[in-house]
Amino acid sequence: MLYITDNITEPANIGLGVNTNGHSITIRPDQDADRTITFTKLSDNTSPTGHFVIGYLGTGLTSDWSDANTIATSNVTIDGFAEGGSTKRLKFTNANTTHGSRVIVVVGACENTTIKNCIVENTTTNTNSPVAIVAVIRKGTAIDVAPKNLVLYNNTIICNISTVGMGIRITHSASSGTPSSKLTGFVCKNNEINAQRRILEMNYTNGGEISYNSINLAQPTTALLGYGIWTSTGCSGTFNINGNKFITLSIGGNETSGTLGQRAMSLGGSVTCNVFNNTFAGMERTGTATGSVNQTYVFFGCSGNIYNNTFYMPALTAPTVPGYYRAITLSYANPNIKNNIFISDEDALTNELIGSVTTGESDYNNFYLRAGNTKARIVSTYTTLADYQAANPTKDVHSKSKAVNFVSATDLSLTGTSIDDMDLAAPAIGSPVTTDIFGNARHTPNVYMGAHEPNNLNDTQTFIVTVPNGTQHVYIAGTFLGKSWDITTPFELTATANHNEFSGTFPAHSNVEYKYLCETGDWDYQEAVYEEGIPVQRTTNRTYAANDIVPIWYRVKSVTLNVSFEPTVGVPNQLFILSSINN
């Protein structure tokens, strides 16, 4: 256990290379107080680049790479919480004048490295690909090794001073050729990541979990291609990318020839990617660049699935810049696209919710072009959902086109009338989409489209009510799922075997408010209360009870009267009634 007892300024870079032989090393603050470690060396190392290098012998940082100095240093944990604490107290950073390429680096065959609850900030202005956290696969003369079980959890990761700054990078170093080893067991979860060019670049990585991260990519130039989550060279296996919030994805600059842009996710290669429960917001273009700028939330060029995500495309500040603007761009790929919400507010620039038609399954999506932009497209060239469905009769048969209410332009949680909106209901997919972006359970058989599941759309309640004599029909209106206070076509209860009793089971939450009616289309036909000497009054809203009693109706369309006669009187040929009915 290495306790950090004060702020530290390190003029030299540090290598931690030791065979831990099954034991562990934990670095953490000694108490619940802020501790900052600042590296100030101006020049790069001769061997592995980085300020704090795990897996390489310390004295070797000033000499050439060697197999002997590449030492698997396993079971290392850097924990920014003090014992019993719950605040990020430990910060690793550097001076902005340093070479500053990498703050924390894990090299070679290190197993079970965990960096959690820390602040890792690269403040350099250097443009030689600075990164906050790096993992390096190493192919030497006699070794070909990669880290295993690298976990980055609940950190604040920042690299937004340099114009090419990156948050996290998995890369390789080789004496010759390319490595055959790949990083396995990678988990990047619950981090806040802020960078200017790339958020997470993965090379030579075999699968992983990237989940519940908050991401801000603010790119100052159009001369470079910016990436959020990127499966780059040599990746394989299955990546589950879920629960991430893309809050900002902006690009600026004044270049006249810059023809690149941004991808919140760039997923390609021999991998399978499951993209689910993510929210995509904050796309923006600023500056005066006149080159062709392409922006997309998901650039998809592999196999996999895109399930239950929420995409919001705001109106861009600089809409005169050419180039495409899309939620999803398919690059020779045909994923399954189901249960997503797509909303575009772009009111001038050409934009597409999906750039082309997938040959995979596509259904139960909500496509809505809210701005009324004639240059907007649902999928490919189709301006309306109906046109798209007519041209592709097997695609999105059950999809909708409806406005959706979000909490804000960056918080895409459902709110208002979008909660309990049965038009947003879709069949549950099951594994891996068993929870929503907040960890709430996904229900069956129906879930909400998009990343947020605010409640259970499958809730039902059973109502039993005793009503006045002669009642022929009983209806119910209230805060029901799909029929909120609908008196035109309300739910109708069915008569039971018991006298004057009706019952029905309808979609509603346990906090449903409701009233009974004896006819449809007019609130005068609702239930009422009556006291001797006091005019009949409409009742207040009910809250759920297993058994209800309606003592009287406020108004009825007709009354059925039944009369019987004593045998001694006999049955008359004619019968009349004198009353106040119809005056």
Side-chain angles (χ1 to χ4, degrees), residues 206-229:
N206 184 13
E209 176 191 349
I210 302 122
S211 61
Y212 301 102
N213 302 288
S214 295
I215 293 170
N216 293 279
L217 182 65
Q219 189 176 336
T221 174
T222 62
L224 300 170
L225 182 58
Y227 296 95
I229 297 170

Side-chain angles (χ1 to χ4, degrees), residues 92-106:
F92 289 80
T93 188
N94 57 0
N96 62 16
T97 54
T98 64
H99 176 270
S101 283
R102 301 160 183 179
V103 179
I104 299 177
V105 182
V106 181

Side-chain angles (χ1 to χ4, degrees), residues 67 119 131 166-167 186 198 208 274 323 334 367 391 502 508 544 546:
D67 293 354
I119 301 169
V131 196
M166 290 177 273
F186 177 57
R198 296 173 190 165
N274 295 314
N334 292 286
F367 302 101
F502 290 74
Y544 183 72

